Amino acid sequence: MVPVDLTHVEHLQKALQTAADLAKHYGSPVTYVGVTPETPSPVAHNPSEYAQKLEAFAQDQASKHGHEASSKAYTSTDPAIDINDTLLKAVHETRADLVVMQSHIPNVTDYIWPSHGGSVASHSDVSVFLVR
């Protein structure tokens, strides 16, 4: 499972490449997961349009890297607050056995608010591969 923020795909390249490499090496499918608000966002006018864009992204990754891919979109009233819980829910619903996530270089705010990757890794019962 690879969490994807379609607003910032350009910052996810290392995690996307790592997930693709692992998928090809082990012959495993990849599920790209995204969380969108129920209201219009910079990415989509509504959750249905977001789900279509996420699926198109997944199929583009599959075509580009040569692995099997699917997508699962989640809606949230406030993704900034709910994203960690939603990703943990997605781990179970997708029956993922590995999560590959992009992470940032730690900074002072991480002492106050843990990163999404750190939070998912701390609370998940599957392996989480954080890529910087």
Side-chain angles (χ1 to χ4, degrees):
M1 181 183 115
V2 179
V4 174
D5 181 348
L6 291 179
T7 307
H8 303 290
V9 169
E10 69 278 4
H11 299 296
L12 305 176
Q13 296 308 310
K14 290 181 181 177
L16 295 173
Q17 185 64 53
T18 300
D21 290 347
L22 289 168
K24 286 193 317 192
H25 182 77
Y26 292 105
S28 302
V30 178
T31 302
Y32 296 93
V33 171
V35 182
T36 186
E38 296 171 348
T39 57
S41 71
V43 175
H45 295 95
N46 55 55
S48 177
E49 182 182 352
Y50 179 84
Q52 292 172 357
K53 288 186 174 185
L54 184 62
E55 180 59 23
F57 174 82
Q59 295 313 312
D60 181 59
Q61 290 294 305
S63 174
K64 186 184 302 182
H65 298 289
H67 59 72
E68 183 181 334
S70 62
S71 66
K72 186 152 180 69
Y74 289 86
T75 58
S76 169
T77 53
D78 190 349
I81 300 296
D82 300 336
I83 193 161
N84 295 337
D85 290 337
T86 304
L87 292 177
L88 290 169
K89 177 181 171 185
V91 168
H92 290 285
E93 289 186 0
T94 62
R95 303 181 70 181
D97 54 13
L98 174 66
V99 179
V100 178
M101 289 182 75
Q102 187 76 40
S103 185
H104 62 274
I105 295 172
N107 58 43
V108 70
T109 60
D110 291 308
Y111 290 102
I112 301 168
W113 297 286
S115 67
H116 298 303
S119 181
V120 171
S122 296
H123 297 96
S124 179
D125 55 0
V126 301
S127 297
V128 178
F129 188 165
L130 299 177
V131 182
R132 287 198 182 129

